[in-house]
Amino acid sequence: MLDIVDVGKRSLASYRGVAPDEQLDELVHLSEHLRGARCMHVNATSYGGGVSEILRSLVPLYNDLGITTDWKLIHGDEEFFQVTKRIHNGLQGAPGELTEKDKAVYLANAQRNASRLISDSEDYDFIFVHDPQPAVLAALSSLRESRWIWRCHIDTSHPNPSYWEFLAPFLTAYDAAVFTLDDFIPPELPIRDVHVYPPCIDPLSPKNHPLPEKLTKDLLEWIGIRTHRPLVTQVGRFDLWKDPLGVVRAYQRVRPHVPDLQLALVGSLALDDPEGWDVYKEVRSATAGDSLIHVLTNLVGVGNVEVNALQSISDVVIQKSIREGFGLTVSEAVWKGTPVIGGRVGGIPLQLPEGTGGVLVDTIEECAEHMLRLLRQPEEARLLGERGREHVRQNFLMPRLLRDHLLLLNELAA
Ligand code: UDP
């Protein structure tokens, strides 16, 4: 058996008054023919990163609509996750070559997971496989009755051929694929039914639920943030694609002009991300001795509610990625009315259209320039955040994502 992730119960009715009514009404209609269906979502980790964040909200909502849905995890040891991290990076275009040993480690693990899957998934109508870590499961599984969907959350527009040529033949077993952007569809994808829709945030989760101001401040003082001083924050896994060191350099450029400016760098260290530890150590050594830079992790108890508080109270949130799938952290911050400076990559421009929610940057210098400008012009910053919030409400809240899922399932069931 694959490990099952326990999720709570949730009701779509509680999104009334938060998400657009017409989206909620449409869900009832779209789920009519799917009631009683069984669905499974499989990925590699139950915490740390966007996919687990989405599944934690999406899976209970599927159940609320009458589609019995499980969330399961593949097993893997550190060696396996080192290989999958290289595959993840290679598919996003990083240089390097997948060795024969890497392939053997990956496939042996996939085989074990496929055997576990057989024992517990005979009657799933739909199986969503998220990202490259479990991607070969469809090909190795004998469960041909289910409809298989590969949900690729990363930027596979220019994959390194060494990685792509290894993975692509296994993808023929899928009935459909989903990408975040048209641009991410890799060349010569061997899946014909391709869908494109971005992920979403959950406005009712502890990460995004409105917090009382006093509680927000108390929580942050507890972890060492001085809430009467200006603050900029980046939340993101310790990953070079998220450019945490670039954020530190941009901050250091601004600091002489705003001497009491604090920087919070929040990153979770996840099981399937062994590289995260190396980047974390680099960030620590680049910021050592600076008492105004706070490097915070899940390991010291900085979880969803603290992230919520940081995104709510920061003067500016940064997501200075140089390669990105979607970047949920952008919508999370904008939803709280906080303006974001985002790298012009992946799904970030979708979330920050001109004059809405924040600004896009290409360099450390631009990031610093806009940071200083927004800190000096709080009214402009506030207006940006306010306009962005409505954009997020219309486009990036959970009911919209559920609608796209139901459209896909209806099509596959037809
Ligand atoms: N996140 C978090 N704590 C951290 C780092 C990240 O809660 O220390 C969350 C973040 O709030 C967001 C998700 O993990 O919900 C990251 O998703 P995103 O799409 O930004 O990036 P990914 O990790 O999927 O590349």
Side-chain angles (χ1 to χ4, degrees):
M1 293 244 318
L2 295 184
D3 285 340
I4 194 155
V5 184
D6 229 349
V7 287
K9 275 199 185 316
R10 220 147 296 153
S11 150
L12 264 169
S14 44
Y15 292 76
R16 285 270 166 211
V18 183
D21 279 343
E22 58 281 11
Q23 288 180 12
L24 292 163
D25 296 341
E26 201 184 349
L27 291 178
V28 176
H29 163 66
L30 285 173
S31 60
E32 262 164 24
H33 298 295
L34 293 166
R35 282 196 199 108
R38 293 206 60 205
C39 180
M40 170 166 65
H41 288 266
V42 190
N43 81 318
T45 173
S46 61
Y47 69 94
V51 178
S52 48
E53 190 78 20
I54 295 160
L55 292 180
R56 199 162 282 285
S57 296
L58 195 64
V59 168
L61 292 177
Y62 261 73
N63 281 309
D64 188 51
L65 284 170
I67 306 168
T68 306
T69 303
D70 293 323
W71 171 12
K72 294 192 179 174
L73 300 177
I74 55 164
H75 293 227
D77 56 14
E78 195 181 332
E79 190 183 25
F80 170 70
F81 286 127
Q82 266 161 1
V83 173
T84 59
K85 185 69 192 194
R86 280 202 283 283
I87 294 177
H88 171 114
N89 288 341
L91 292 178
Q92 291 217 113
E97 197 152 336
L98 199 61
T99 65
E100 290 308 313
K101 177 152 184 277
D102 289 344
K103 292 178 191 172
V105 167
Y106 182 69
L107 290 177
N109 186 286
Q111 196 66 61
R112 282 194 293 277
N113 280 304
S115 316
R116 290 192 184 103
L117 186 64
I118 287 167
S119 64
D120 59 8
S121 57
E122 261 101 324
D123 51 2
Y124 285 113
D125 299 292
F126 306 103
I127 301 179
F128 276 86
V129 176
H130 293 264
D131 274 344
Q133 299 97 324
V136 301
L137 273 186
L140 300 184
S141 162
S142 56
L143 305 169
R144 299 316 317 156
E145 296 302 305
S146 309
R147 300 311 207 120
W148 289 79
I149 302 121
W150 187 44
R151 189 3 171 155
C152 178
H153 294 266
I154 61 175
D155 175 355
T156 42
S157 51
H158 299 96
N160 173 333
S162 164
Y163 295 86
W164 179 239
E165 282 162 18
F166 166 70
L167 191 68
F170 294 106
L171 300 178
T172 52
Y174 284 93
D175 298 289
V178 181
F179 294 87
T180 296
L181 297 177
D182 280 324
D183 285 352
F184 288 0
I185 303 170
E188 295 171 53
L189 176 72
I191 306 172
R192 259 186 294 157
D193 187 14
V194 180
H195 297 248
V196 175
Y197 52 78
C200 277
I201 63 164
D202 186 344
L204 303 184
S205 71
K207 166 90 39 87
N208 298 312
H209 203 285
L211 294 174
E213 193 181 334
K214 171 149 183 359
L215 177 64
T216 305
K217 289 186 172 167
D218 287 351
L219 286 168
L220 295 182
E221 291 284 345
W222 177 261
I223 57 173
I225 306 286
R226 301 281 83 96
T227 53
H228 58 282
R229 290 185 179 163
L231 172 68
V232 292
T233 296
Q234 172 158 299
V235 177
R237 288 177 297 104
F238 290 107
D239 182 326
L240 292 176
W241 299 120
K242 309 263 179 202
D243 200 16
L245 296 166
V247 176
V248 172
R249 285 169 56 199
Y251 163 81
Q252 284 165 341
R253 281 173 168 256
V254 175
R255 177 81 167 271
H257 306 283
V258 189
D260 58 349
L261 180 63
Q262 302 169 99
L263 169 65
L265 284 172
V266 193
S268 52
L269 292 151
L271 184 70
D272 66 337
D273 191 10
E275 220 178 67
W277 286 97
D278 300 333
V279 178
Y280 171 70
K281 283 179 208 148
E282 272 186 70
V283 169
R284 287 231 71 121
S285 77
T287 58
D290 189 332
S291 63
L292 291 181
I293 302 183
H294 306 269
V295 181
L296 303 164
T297 72
N298 50 330
L299 303 180
V300 294
V302 174
N304 286 330
V305 179
E306 288 79 4
V307 168
N308 184 344
L310 283 161
Q311 290 170 331
S312 303
I313 214 171
S314 291
D315 296 278
V316 180
V317 157
I318 318 285
Q319 190 55 61
K320 213 210 131 309
S321 305
I322 45 182
R323 191 69 54 87
E324 186 57 80
F326 181 68
L328 289 173
T329 49
V330 173
S331 281
E332 287 167 1
V334 174
W335 178 243
K336 295 162 185 111
T338 305
V340 174
I341 299 175
R344 195 189 308 277
V345 289
I348 297 178
L350 212 58
Q351 300 173 75
L352 301 177
E354 184 70 36
T356 309
V359 284
L360 297 169
V361 297
D362 296 294
T363 61
I364 292 171
E365 292 70 31
E366 279 177 0
C367 181
E369 212 176 279
H370 286 291
M371 203 188 295
L372 184 57
R373 187 173 58 81
L374 291 174
L375 287 166
R376 283 185 169 161
Q377 297 177 23
E379 183 52 21
E380 187 198 337
R382 194 189 62 77
L383 279 174
L384 265 180
E386 198 176 286
R387 283 197 292 270
R389 189 175 150 88
E390 183 53 23
H391 179 65
V392 170
R393 195 175 93 85
Q394 291 296 335
N395 298 287
F396 304 119
L397 298 186
M398 228 4 108
R400 199 239 74 230
L401 179 61
L402 206 49
R403 183 196 64 197
D404 288 328
H405 272 247
L406 296 183
L407 287 169
L408 168 60
L409 297 191
N410 275 305
E411 181 212 283
L412 288 173

